Amino acid sequence: MPQLKELAQHPMDTITASIGGAVFRPDRINVGFTRDLLGFLHEQTQNDKTILAVIGGGGVARNAIEDARALGVTHQPSLDRIGILVTKENALLLAKIIEAHSMQFHLYDFGDILHKGVIYLRGGTEPGQTTDRVAVEAAIETKQCILLNISSIKGLYNRDEAGKLDPNQIIEHISWDEYLAMFPDDHTPGINIPFDREAAKLAQTNNMMVVLMGPDFDNINRFLDGKEFIGTIVHP
């Protein structure tokens, strides 16, 4: 299993993450995941960590986009804006849940100054960009070289002999060049791959590492502690 031993000696003060809409709100809010997330956020902020999370739209956004297409919306920026509205709604929903548990939060905008012990949340920004790309931009602005990508899959799956993705074969380490070669298609509204291509190219340009992992916070804590974890490290 992969690990970043350096994190044991040099823990991250700011944890930047892209959280997939499919784990937070696949249809209704995922109560089990959100409770685990609240526990994780409480523990980290009690230790003066800063959290900056960008929330995706997941299946709710994709369904809204598909329905709009079926009803005659063909303008791609308009379809993107439909998805963006869902991501913003997800960020606000999570913010209100966090507020109900007496944790400090702020709806993040670029240029904001980050403070210790505060949770910063946001959704998408503009057409043509996924929330993965927004998360990379936020990490760059806040000078973070590691981004967590928390989704419904445990990592980047290898393919079996039949060419199908095999969840029992997780690629532990992969370069950005290798990753981009696996997913050659351009952006379309509602696209669903482990980590968006444009976000990947921006992360590569900025020598950023992205860690693909599932919604298991014991596993996420093992990664943050510099221990072996289940997931994929995508690196320059």
Side-chain angles (χ1 to χ4, degrees):
M1 290 189 288
Q3 67 183 125
L4 282 180
K5 294 180 180 179
E6 298 84 354
L7 292 179
Q9 288 77 38
H10 304 285
M12 291 190 289
D13 292 328
T14 299
I15 300 169
T16 310
S18 177
I19 299 179
V23 291
F24 171 62
R25 189 184 167 207
D27 180 9
R28 299 177 61 175
I29 292 174
N30 184 337
V31 173
F33 167 79
T34 306
R35 282 179 177 151
D36 291 343
L37 174 59
L38 289 170
F40 172 79
L41 295 174
H42 182 264
E43 179 183 0
Q44 297 298 330
T45 53
Q46 286 294 105
N47 290 324
D48 280 340
K49 302 288 187 182
T50 303
I51 310 291
L52 174 52
V54 180
I55 316 299
V60 176
R62 283 189 290 277
N63 289 341
I65 289 168
E66 287 176 10
D67 291 345
R69 277 199 184 104
L71 291 167
V73 180
T74 58
H75 185 237
Q76 288 212 351
S78 296
L79 292 168
D80 268 339
R81 287 190 179 94
I82 291 169
I84 290 166
L85 285 172
V86 176
T87 69
K88 290 181 175 180
E89 182 180 47
N90 282 349
L92 183 58
L93 282 169
L94 183 53
K96 290 304 177 182
I97 293 167
I98 289 169
E99 183 180 39
H101 288 262
S102 302
M103 287 183 274
Q104 292 189 66
F105 80 93
H106 182 77
L107 293 175
Y108 178 78
D109 201 0
F110 287 93
D112 288 349
I113 297 173
L114 303 186
H115 299 281
K116 290 181 179 180
V118 179
I119 302 156
Y120 295 85
L121 303 167
R122 72 157 302 125
T125 54
E126 59 188 55
Q129 295 189 358
T130 64
T131 47
D132 285 341
R133 163 123 186 169
V134 176
V136 171
E137 291 175 343
I140 293 168
E141 179 173 271
T142 56
K143 297 180 172 56
Q144 304 303 309
C145 61
I146 299 173
L147 173 68
L148 307 187
N149 185 76
I150 303 170
S151 72
S152 56
I153 60 174
K154 294 180 179 180
L156 181 61
Y157 298 151
N158 218 329
R159 295 185 182 275
D160 60 21
E161 294 179 358
K164 295 182 179 180
L165 293 175
D166 183 354
N168 296 313
Q169 296 184 39
I170 296 177
I171 300 170
E172 296 183 353
H173 298 271
I174 188 171
S175 72
W176 283 119
D177 284 338
E178 292 168 326
Y179 179 86
L180 288 165
M182 290 180 70
F183 302 101
D185 296 331
D186 293 332
H187 171 82
T188 55
I191 192 169
N192 183 26
I193 64 173
F195 195 73
D196 170 61
R197 273 185 58 82
E198 294 306 312
K201 288 190 282 188
L202 185 61
Q204 180 183 37
T205 300
N206 286 273
N207 294 314
M208 187 181 298
M209 184 183 302
V210 173
V211 183
L212 310 177
M213 56 178 63
D216 178 344
F217 288 98
D218 288 336
N219 187 54
I220 292 169
N221 279 323
R222 286 196 296 273
F223 165 74
L224 293 171
D225 291 338
K227 300 175 182 177
E228 291 186 341
F229 71 99
I230 298 170
T232 302
I233 299 174
V234 193
H235 56 80

